[in-house]
Amino acid sequence: QVRLVESGGGLVQAGDSLRLSCAASGSTFSSYAMGWFRQAPSKEREFIAAIRWSGGSTYYDDFVKGRFTISRDSAKNTAYLEMNSLKPEDTAVYYCAAQPSIATPFGSWGQGTQVTVSS
């Protein structure tokens, strides 16, 4: 069982940057991929990006448009989401999740970290 803890959220102004961290413990090495998602008030949770734990291949939703970068540090069992040029519409709770294998959905959700972008 993988346990995930997000951190790094906060209140920033439009145009600022933030780096979110997702520390994993437990069966990390059995995870196929790690992903970042977000959920804004009154909206469904949406996919942002994912990274394969082995090899580091990355995948992004189109709305990211080069502003966000996902990475991981295998030695620290930690995934990151670097967010630049933040906009008020990026305000949401950001979650990370683990995908145990290519055939299984993301799960083991963290508790989330709040990101608030003021205009």
Side-chain angles (χ1 to χ4, degrees), residues 4-9 20-23 36 94-97 109-113:
L4 305 176
V5 179
E6 303 96 334
S7 62
L20 306 182
S21 299
C22 174
W36 283 97
Y94 284 70
Y95 299 89
C96 65
W109 297 91
Q111 83 290 347
T113 185

Side-chain angles (χ1 to χ4, degrees), residues 26-39:
S27 305
T28 306
F29 292 105
S30 67
S31 292
Y32 171 77
M34 298 287 286
W36 283 97
F37 298 75
R38 70 184 186 183
Q39 187 168 19

Side-chain angles (χ1 to χ4, degrees), residues 47-95:
F47 170 78
I48 300 171
I51 185 167
R52 285 189 60 179
W53 207 251
S54 176
S57 298
T58 57
Y59 309 88
Y60 296 92
D61 193 273
D62 289 342
F63 80 85
V64 171
K65 296 181 180 178
R67 295 190 300 126
F68 295 179
T69 303
I70 190 172
S71 61
R72 72 12 177 167
D73 185 330
S74 299
K76 296 182 178 180
N77 291 343
T78 300
Y80 303 96
L81 184 68
E82 183 77 31
M83 305 186 294
N84 299 313
S85 301
L86 284 164
K87 306 173 182 180
E89 51 264 42
D90 293 318
T91 295
V93 178
Y94 284 70
Y95 299 89

